[in-house]
Amino acid sequence: MAHIDPDSTTAHIRHGIKTGLAAVAAYGAAQAMGLQYGYWAALSAVIVMQISVADSLQMCWYRLSGTAIGALIGVAAILAFPHTPAMTYLGLFLAVAFCAYMTRYDPRYRMAAITACIVFLASLGQQDRLLFGLERVQEIAIGVGCAFLASVLLWPQRAAEELQQRLRGQFTRGAELYGAILDAFLRRQAGLDPGLLDAYAASVAANRGLLHKVLRHERLLYRDDTRALGLKVDTLDSCVRHLRTMLHSLNDSQGQGYDILMEPELRSLAVVTQDAMRAIGQGNPLRPEALEAALEAAEARLGELRDQGATRRFHLHKLMQFFSFFHCLRFLGRDLLRHARGGEMPGTPGAPKTSGTGAPATPEPADSAGPSAPRAQAAAAAPPAPGTQDA
C-alpha cells in the first residue's frame, strides 16, 4: 500500500472514517453484551484513535493499562471505606491524591485517577458497587479494543513507511547540498548562507522520533528490518554533521580565495558520493568499490602534492581550511562505506563502535585526526611563501 502523507487531506478523511467506525463498533459491542452505558465504550474509542498505528498503539496501551490500575485503586477504595458521606469524601481524596502523586513516576496514573473516580463514584447507590464499577471498566476496554482493530486493519498509517519516505527525500536533498557546498569551495571558496542547512538538519533530527515509534510500538506487530532502518537514520545523522562542518570550513575564509589543484579528484569523489547517498535513500544496492576508489585517488593525489611541496605555498589559515574541508569529505565517504558494509569497515584496525540502532558512532571531523593529520602538521610547520594565495 502506497504511503499517504499523515498531514494530507486523504489521511485525515481516512482517520475520520476509521474513528467513526471504531466508535460505532464499540457502542454496538457494548450493547450486544448487555452493558448499560455503551457510550463509555464509544468515548474510549474516540479518545485513543490516532492517525498513525504507532500513536494509536501508544494511546491504547496508555488507556488500557491506566484503566486497569485505576480499577484496582477504585475497588480498593470501595472495600476500604464504608458507604457514608464522610468516608466517601475521604476515599475519593486518597484515591485521586495517590494517583496524582504517582504521575511523578508514570503518566498512566492520570488515566488511573479518572478510572478510580468512575469506579468509586459512579457506583454510589448501586446494589453491587463492585460489579457496577467493573462493568464500566469493561466498556472502556471494549472501546480501546475496537480502536486498536480499526487502526491496524483499516488503512494502517505506519511510522516505518513514513520514515522510509522521509529518508528517500532527505538523502536526495543531502546529495544536492553536498554538491552545492563542494562546488562553492572549488569556486575559490565562494561563501554560502550560514543557515543553509538549518531546515534540513531539523527535518533529519525528527527522524529519531519516528524511529522510536517503530522500535517501541510497531515492531510488536510488523516484521520490519529495523536494523537497516536504524542504520539509515544514523548514517544520515552523520552526513548532516559532516555537511555542517563543510559549510563552516567553506565560510571560514580570509582574504582572496584560491584554486584547488585537486579539483578533478574532488569532483570525481563528489559524483560517486552523491550517487551513494541517493542509492541509500532509494534502498538500491550500493557498490562500495567506486566510492572506495575515489577516496583512495583523492588521498593519493594529496600525498603526491605534499611530496612535491605544493602545500608549502599555503598560508597556515588556508592550509587548515583546506584540510578541515577535505577531512569532512573523507569521513562522509567512509561513513557511506560503513553503511554499505552493514555498519562495519573490514580491514581497519579496531571495530567501529555502533549506536543502539547499529550504525557507526563516527567522531566529529573537525576534532578528528585521520591519516592526513601528519601531513597537515608537516605542511603547517613549513614556512609559507609570502604573498601566495593559491595552491
Side-chain angles (χ1 to χ4, degrees), residues 1 11 14-26 44-46 48-54 56-57 60 141-158 221-222:
M1 182 183 295
R14 290 180 175 182
H15 175 62
I17 295 173
K18 290 164 63 174
T19 304
L21 290 175
V24 169
S44 296
V46 173
V48 302
M49 178 64 74
Q50 305 293 316
I51 289 182
S52 74
V53 172
S56 290
L57 288 176
C60 285
I142 290 172
V144 170
C146 290
F148 169 78
L149 292 175
S151 180
V152 172
L153 299 179
L154 185 61
W155 298 313
Q157 186 79 18
R158 298 190 49 211
L221 300 176
Y222 303 99

Side-chain angles (χ1 to χ4, degrees), residues 10-97:
T10 300
H12 282 270
I13 290 175
R14 290 180 175 182
H15 175 62
I17 295 173
K18 290 164 63 174
T19 304
L21 290 175
V24 169
Y27 184 76
Q31 292 292 99
M33 296 176 66
L35 297 173
Q36 186 176 1
Y37 300 104
Y39 60 82
W40 282 111
L43 284 173
S44 296
V46 173
I47 290 172
V48 302
M49 178 64 74
Q50 305 293 316
I51 289 182
S52 74
V53 172
D55 289 339
S56 290
L57 288 176
Q58 183 179 12
M59 284 297 296
C60 285
W61 172 245
Y62 169 80
R63 186 163 180 82
L64 193 60
S65 58
T67 296
I69 295 171
L72 292 176
I73 294 173
V75 168
I78 290 174
L79 296 175
F81 296 93
H83 183 35
T84 64
M87 290 295 102
T88 297
Y89 284 117
L90 179 60
L92 177 63
F93 169 77
L94 292 177
V96 173

Side-chain angles (χ1 to χ4, degrees), residues 1-6 8 10-11 14 155-158 161-162 165 168:
M1 182 183 295
H3 172 73
I4 301 296
D5 184 354
S8 67
T10 300
R14 290 180 175 182
W155 298 313
Q157 186 79 18
R158 298 190 49 211
E161 295 175 354
E162 181 183 353
Q165 180 166 304
R168 282 193 289 271

Side-chain angles (χ1 to χ4, degrees), residues 9 11 44 67 90 93 100 128 148 161 172 208 252 320 345 365 384:
T9 301
S44 296
T67 296
L90 179 60
F93 169 77
D128 191 340
F148 169 78
E161 295 175 354
T172 300
R208 287 287 169 191
D252 186 26
M320 298 305 296
M345 284 287 284

